[in-house]
Amino acid sequence: LRSTVKGILSQKDVSKMKNGDILVTRMTTTELMPSVRLAAGIITDEGGITCHASIISRELHVPCVVGTKIAIQVLKDGDVVCLDGTGLIKIISSVANKES
């Protein structure tokens, strides 16, 4: 899966998500479900095999990488990443590089 990153830290950020974006957050919660439903993929800093993001992504049939510890700090809104669901997150293009 190759798509654009949107960092969602709280419910107030939910409106940033567009259909097909990759949701990047500390961890998913029920209040973030509107964003989760739009996501083509999910990346979280926290969690494991039985966390909310893992279970929801399986139910929604979207790739998910959990427990990155630093994704919300490294990945920025507008970055394009490749997410394959095996734990590999490859940055295709970075907003930081475009601003330079």
Side-chain angles (χ1 to χ4, degrees), residues 50-72:
T50 60
C51 74
H52 185 261
S54 294
I55 293 166
I56 293 300
S57 67
R58 184 186 69 221
E59 296 300 316
L60 297 176
H61 305 289
V62 298
C64 180
V65 177
V66 297
T68 66
K69 298 188 182 3
I70 61 168
I72 199 70

Side-chain angles (χ1 to χ4, degrees), residues 15-26:
S15 63
K16 293 193 313 186
M17 280 292 292
K18 304 291 183 233
N19 193 32
D21 287 341
I22 295 177
L23 169 66
V24 179
T25 189
R26 287 189 188 103

